[in-house]
Each structure stands twice: as C-alpha cells, then as structure tokens.
C-alpha cells in the first residue's frame, strides 16, 4: 500500500509537505495538485479502464437508502439527495455560487461536480442564476448524479451529464431516457492511473466536510469521537483533480467545532482544497493567491481560516484531545499510493479518570 517515509515529507520525492501539522499520527502527505494546474491541459475523453490486480481503482460514497424488494420496481430514497430548505444552508449555497462566478474558470463550457449534502446540492440553484446572467452553459457535469443536475440537463443548461452513480430515482430514470446523459466506469471517473479520468479535467467541485482544520485538511471519514462514520467517495479524487475545490460546511454542528486546529483523520489533504465557505465567513487557502485576488475584485469579503477556527471555539469551546490505542483499524491511502493517515482504535472512556 506504499512506503512510509520521513514524517511530513513525500516518501518518493522528499519534498516538504504543504500540510501544516500532519495527521493524527504524523504520516506523510501525498504530492497534491499543482498550483499551476498542469493537470488540465487535456479534455476529458473515454479511455480504456486501467485495472490493478485487485480491481479498479475507485472511491465509493456511502449512501443511506431504503430498498423495498416487494415493490414493482426497486426504489432508492436518499436523504442526502434532497435540496435543503434551511436558510443557513441556502445562504452558504449562495456564497458558493458567488465564489464560483468570481473566478476565471466560470465561462462557457465549464465543468462541474457537486456533492449531495444540503448546501452543496443547493448551490445548483444559485449557480443557474449566474449562468443565466452571463449567458453561458455548463459543458459537462460528473459525479454522483441526482435530480437537480438532471433538471439542468433537461433545461439545456448543461451539455452532457456523465454518470458514475445515482442518488435518487430522477437520476436513475434519466440515464436511459434523457439524451446526453451518459454512463461511465469508476475507472473513467477517478482512476489515478487512467490518463483519461474525468476528475483531472474538472473546473469546479463543491464538497462537504465533517471537519476542516487550519491547514485546510478535510475529514469526511471519522466523527469527532474518532469512530468511522462513512466513506470518502470521490472527495479526495475530485479535490486533487479540479481547478477550484470548494468546501462548504457550517462552522459548528451542535456542540462540536467543524473548523478546528487539527482534524481527527486526514481524508483530503489541505493542498488540494482551495476555498472554505461557512455560515460565518469565507476563507481562501493561502496557496491560492489568484483566488484571493478574484474574491477581492468581486467585492466578496473573506477572512483567514484561523479566524474561523477561533470563532468556532468561542462558540462551543476547545475540545479535549482524543486518546488512542496502538491498534490500527484502517489505513488511508492517497491517490499516488502513499499513506495519508491511519485510524486507530479509540481508548474506552473511563469515567473514573474524568476530571
């Protein structure tokens, strides 16, 4: 599964990692996407899937669904596929669209993927308004597809939808009924060994996060208690391949800070994340001064991610550090095969030792 090199350095190239602080166990970071965006010179094209001995290199999202076998047809009901009506989510979605519209990549024929979380999905609605104002259309959209993207295709706002998985019945029914809605393999979508992988030609991707830290590292795998909660899906692949990766997430959830000092587990490294949009402000990765200039020219206010972290801690307090056992229960492998982080077994809570 890859070598383990000196802490904080790429094991093959010996380059100092851009990530500040490292993961929970100090493992090295992969070599992330290039600031110069050298990955985007070639347009997406079908390519022969490249398979390893163990099968296709792929990432799968975990979808909470309900299937009723006795029904005349199988049904998929995904809670994640519904557009949020929460005013906070809609505000964040509108700010995501503002950020996208301020960049030079927002032009005729741009490519796009969004997650299926509340504010991520709602960004489609506001993005359509900016497309109408500019008189432009989306060239193609990829990813886990659901109803809102199918509607944009039917309206003629999107040229092509290339589908690697579906999250609701609208998308399932569309793939064999709607012209320009195509299917692709997981290898065509995100295989790091496939030169024709679509993620490497993405202009924008809008993703969610369980946690994001001051190094812009993102966790979508483990909860604040260190327990496995889901799967990364295409999160690290699209973040690495896209020209502009936007994370949208509330500043806090309940009593837990979403923006924090260090994430529990690094799922997507910080040098692949460009912009953070929260309900308390927008932060741009210092590695992207070009995007900072775009937001300034558009009059979009933004703050540092350190300011957002301190605001989160002022609201809910600073959490105690988790305690781990030595046993490794999961290994996170980066797209280039290096070890990104590990998940260790959590020590059982002992109330007698609590203060």
């Amino acid at each position: 599964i890859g070598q383990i090199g000196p802490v904080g350095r790429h094991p093959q190239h010996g380059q100092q990692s851009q990530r500040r602080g490292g993961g929970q166990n100090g493992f090295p970071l992969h070599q992330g996407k290039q600031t110069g965006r050298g990955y985007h010179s070639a347009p997406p094209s079908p390519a022969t899937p490249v398979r390893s001995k163990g099968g296709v290199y792929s990432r799968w999202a975990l979808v909470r669904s309900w299937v009723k076998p006795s029904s005349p047809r199988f049904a998929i009901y995904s809670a994640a596929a519904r557009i949020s009506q929460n005013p906070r989510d809609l505000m964040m979605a509108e700010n995501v669209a503002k950020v996208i519209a301020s960049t030079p990549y927002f032009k005729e024929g741009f490519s796009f993927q969004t997650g299926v979380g509340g504010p991520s999905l709602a960004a489609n609605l506001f993005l359509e308004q900016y497309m109408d104002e500019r008189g432009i259309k989306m060239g193609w959209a990829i990813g886990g597809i659901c109803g809102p993207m199918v509607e944009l295709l039917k309206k003629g706002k999107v040229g092509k939808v290339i589908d690697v998985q579906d999250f609701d019945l609208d998308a399932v029914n569309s793939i064999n009924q709607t012209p320009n809605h195509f299917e692709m393999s997981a290898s065509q979508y995100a295989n790091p060994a496939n030169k024709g992988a679509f993620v490497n030609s993405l202009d924008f991707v809008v993703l969610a996060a369980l946690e994001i830290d001051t190094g812009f590292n993102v966790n979508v795998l483990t909860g604040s208690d260190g327990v496995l909660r889901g799967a990364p899906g295409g999160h690290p692949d699209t973040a690495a391949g896209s020209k502009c990766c936007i994370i949208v997430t509330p500043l806090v959830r309940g009593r837990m800070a979403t923006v924090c000092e260090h994430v529990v587990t690094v799922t997507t490294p910080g040098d692949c994340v460009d912009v953070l949009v929260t309900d308390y402000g927008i932060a741009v990765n210092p590695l992207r001064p070009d995007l900072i200039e775009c937001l300034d020219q558009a009059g979009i206010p933004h703050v540092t991610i350190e300011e957002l972290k301190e605001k989160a801690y002022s609201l809910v307090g600073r959490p105690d550090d988790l305690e781990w056992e030595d046993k490794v229960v999961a290994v996170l492998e980066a797209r280039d095969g290096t070890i990104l982080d590990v998940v260790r077994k959590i020590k059982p809570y002992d109330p007698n030792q609590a203060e």
Side-chain angles (χ1 to χ4, degrees), residues 182-315:
F182 301 102
E183 182 182 0
M184 65 174 164
S185 69
S187 179
Q188 282 180 284
Y189 172 64
N191 186 343
N194 189 340
K195 292 184 179 180
F198 276 77
V199 296
N200 294 335
S201 295
L202 268 176
D203 289 320
F204 302 101
V205 64
V206 181
L207 301 168
L210 291 175
E211 294 178 312
I212 181 170
D213 65 24
T214 52
F216 283 84
N217 304 299
V218 175
N219 171 26
V220 295
L221 190 65
T222 53
S224 57
D225 56 359
V227 177
L228 289 167
R229 299 293 182 187
H235 202 289
D237 304 290
T238 52
S242 63
K243 293 178 183 175
C244 182
C245 170
I246 301 173
I247 301 296
V248 55
T249 185
L251 189 70
V252 298
R253 288 188 177 94
R255 60 183 182 83
M256 301 306 301
T258 306
V259 183
C260 56
E261 188 72 36
H262 298 294
V263 294
V264 174
T265 307
V266 177
T267 309
T268 298
D271 58 352
C272 296
V273 175
D274 300 308
V275 182
L276 167 65
V277 175
T278 75
D279 47 340
Y280 278 82
I282 299 169
V284 182
N285 194 324
L287 297 175
R288 296 301 306 271
D290 56 324
L291 293 182
I292 293 175
E293 183 178 355
C294 288
L295 266 62
D296 289 340
Q297 290 179 351
I300 300 174
H302 54 91
V303 297
T304 66
I305 196 168
E306 287 81 8
E307 291 177 85
L308 291 177
K309 177 206 69 176
E310 291 302 327
K311 179 62 177 178
Y313 286 165
S314 71
L315 293 173

